[in-house]
Amino acid sequence: MFRFSQYALKLSRRTGSQPVHRFFRCTSTSAVASVVTPGVAPALQITLRSYQEDCIQSVLSNLEKGHKRLGISLATGSGKTVIFTHLINRIPSANDADQTLILAHRRELVEQAARHCILAYPSKSIDVEMGASHASGAADITVASIQSINSGERILKFDPSRYKLILVDEAHHIVSSQYLDVLEHFGLRHSVDWAQTSVPALVGVSATFSRFDGKSLGSVIDHIVYHRDYVDMIEENWLSDVSFTTVDSKADISRVSSGATGDFQPGALSRAINTDETNEITVRAWLARAKERKSTLVFCVDLSHVSSLTSTFRKHGFDARFVTGDTPKKVRSERVDAFKNGEFPVLLNCGVFTEGTDIPNIDCVLLARPTKSRNLLVQMIGRGMRLHKGKHNCHVIDMVASLNAGIVSTPTLFGLDPAEIVEDVGTKDMIELRERKEKEQQREQEALQSQTSKTAKSIPGRVTFTDYDSVHDLIQDTSEERFIRAISPYAWVGVGDGKYVLTTRTGSYLVLEPDGSRFVVKFTQKLPEGIRSKSPFATPRVIAQTHTFEHAVHAADTYAIKVFEFMFISKSQAWRRKPASQAQVDFLNKMRSKDNQLTTNTITKGKAGDMITKMKHGAKGRFEKMSAQKRLAQRSQEKMQLSQMQMRDQIKVGPLSRDS
């Protein structure tokens, strides 16, 4: 193992076929020096795990088929860096293109990739493009910081025709503008007929191949060619088992708004979470459940939270230390090394150890910060899932605050309600708990379907419908809104069949609806007056497609805030609680009987707006369709009953045979 104080690795000259590497202001052990000194030691031999070899073969197979933009989805701790390092030699050169570029967005990831390449390929020239270190553009392998390679004209020295492979670490960041600019340079920005082009292969590696903001990774990655999640890895003993405990800290985060990423705004979240009471509950929860753990990593909200929670641990007599983005690199390295050596039991951080961190001795992860991001949750938990000698499992303690709408907690990863409270539950137990919950929900649904008044009714193998006495009862039903508004801060309206609409006074609207096994988000724009068209609306545009409802909602929300005014789509605006306007009431009363008229004092603006949205998006047709289905079902049932009666009338009993 070696450590860089100010990492820079450059090719200075070639002697025959052997490169000479020069390190600037770095420290290394003699073992590493012997590896990178030309002619002294062969490449470090690493035996790939079976799934790592399967992953590489899957990449090679897809490249042979002509695919160019590939993704690998692997759990944290599965050896992603090892896999993509070994890919370099396995991918053949084409048309004299034999160079490789590795992209990462953090210094730690750049250094980690460079170390692996040095050990794996001591005979290759390796450059680093990061900060003050400038690559030559001619090295066999270049490891680059995405920020640095985009700085000024630094990217121009990289000739696309010379590269066979572009590797992207933590590839869920790949749709950010900086990555897109680099992909544009190498001809990989837009999907084309790859057989007609000569561009390098793109392979992105990530443990969380999704984005909380809903931006489509499909615009850059065409095929996820290999997937192995943490549950698979645990069951096959490649990762440490995990036990989970969730703690309701009672912190009130109901008024904490979301930031640009869609997760909680850090400053506001810190003010809600970083209180003496909550910090005391957090430490006492750790004392009660994980005091005997040797190496606990704590995730905090911000620097202020780190400081306060560290003080609370120390007040209880524990040697707790912290690392932040402001910690000098030398001090950070010393603290991490001391933590790895078991010199103190608790290490706190905020946003430093979510990616590219290899501290296998972590046997407890304390999540002292709530999040809305499944990706962040997986990354934090993943820090404790590496195998380590003497480590039985990793205990995850999740301080899930007040379980408000939008919280993503550890039970969420197993398909459970985010508000589920669990105590010392393992992964297998979580899966069993989910299965029991699913069966219980099925029983509840069956019980609900057996009711006769204003409830779901079902004829097996026929049709399922819901009774409403009138279309007015249908548009007043708010059950669908409660479901989606528990996820989104915006005033989505359910219009039936799993379809939701978000609209404003402009008339333009977003639709989120299921399409087979996926969810699709479409935007329909109201055309300006004066444009001659058969329809007042433009052709709907697909904004996002995803396999999970939650990600579809976040994708739609991300787009909505760009095209709509916030005050007209927010579900919590004060105007929504004011009396409805006379125009709203008049519109709704046109379809109501004279003895059932609404007034401005009997309905709010928000409620009236939701009902109008339902009417404009097919509530009347939906009611008529359900009524027709009900009549059809009743006729089918009557027909079956009549058929059964006729069959009974035709049954005759004859004399028994002797053989009977």
Side-chain angles (χ1 to χ4, degrees), residues 161-266:
S161 67
R162 301 292 302 164
Y163 284 81
K164 67 173 183 178
L165 177 63
I166 309 294
L167 288 165
V168 179
D169 199 1
E170 301 296 349
H172 49 278
H173 297 286
I174 201 169
V175 292
S176 68
S177 59
Q178 289 183 318
Y179 280 99
L180 295 180
D181 288 344
V182 174
L183 297 183
E184 184 78 45
H185 176 76
F186 285 94
L188 290 161
R189 172 65 180 88
H190 304 285
S191 183
V192 297
D193 182 358
W194 301 116
Q196 304 300 319
T197 61
S198 179
V199 297
L202 170 66
V203 179
V205 189
S206 178
T208 51
F209 245 113
S210 61
R211 287 178 62 89
F212 185 72
D213 61 10
K215 290 182 179 179
S216 176
L217 290 165
S219 63
V220 179
I221 300 293
D222 296 323
H223 304 277
I224 304 294
V225 299
Y226 193 82
H227 172 74
R228 207 170 194 83
D229 64 25
Y230 55 92
V231 175
D232 299 327
M233 304 287 287
I234 289 171
E235 289 180 347
E236 296 169 14
N237 297 316
W238 294 117
L239 291 179
S240 168
D241 199 359
V242 183
S243 64
F244 298 94
T245 297
T246 55
V247 180
D248 186 352
S249 69
K250 308 300 182 184
D252 183 9
I253 59 172
S254 59
R255 297 184 180 180
V256 178
S257 60
S258 299
T261 64
D263 205 352
F264 293 112
Q265 199 278 329

Side-chain angles (χ1 to χ4, degrees), residues 10 35 39 73 88 91 130 150 152 157 167 195 207 253 255 270 314 321 343 377 387 421 494 540 604 652 660:
K10 300 183 72 175
V35 171
S73 174
I88 294 172
I91 292 179
M130 181 171 63
N150 271 301
K157 62 191 167 190
L167 288 165
I253 59 172
R255 297 184 180 180
S270 179
R314 290 176 178 175
R321 308 178 195 179
E343 296 177 19
L377 185 67
L387 297 173
I421 295 294
T604 65
K652 296 180 180 180
S660 296

Side-chain angles (χ1 to χ4, degrees), residues 22-67:
R22 184 171 70 242
F23 292 89
F24 292 91
R25 286 174 292 179
C26 71
T27 58
S28 65
T29 66
S30 58
V32 173
S34 67
V35 171
V36 300
T37 301
V40 173
L44 181 66
Q45 297 299 312
I46 298 177
T47 301
L48 294 175
R49 297 171 178 176
S50 57
Y51 68 85
Q52 292 173 331
E53 180 61 34
D54 290 344
C55 177
I56 290 174
Q57 290 298 330
S58 180
V59 171
L60 297 176
S61 173
N62 275 270
L63 291 176
E64 287 178 0
K65 294 175 183 177
H67 303 313

Side-chain angles (χ1 to χ4, degrees), residues 96-154:
D96 296 326
D98 58 1
Q99 294 176 230
T100 296
L101 174 65
I102 302 174
L103 297 170
H105 72 292
R106 293 179 59 178
R107 173 178 288 271
E108 291 83 0
L109 297 173
V110 172
E111 293 177 354
Q112 183 184 75
R115 285 195 294 266
H116 276 275
C117 289
I118 291 168
L119 295 173
Y121 303 112
S123 64
K124 289 183 181 293
S125 55
I126 301 168
D127 279 5
V128 167
E129 182 78 26
M130 181 171 63
S133 301
H134 292 258
S136 65
D140 297 320
I141 302 171
T142 300
V143 188
S145 154
I146 190 66
Q147 295 85 357
S148 296
I149 199 172
N150 271 301
S151 177
E153 297 183 346
R154 292 169 76 159

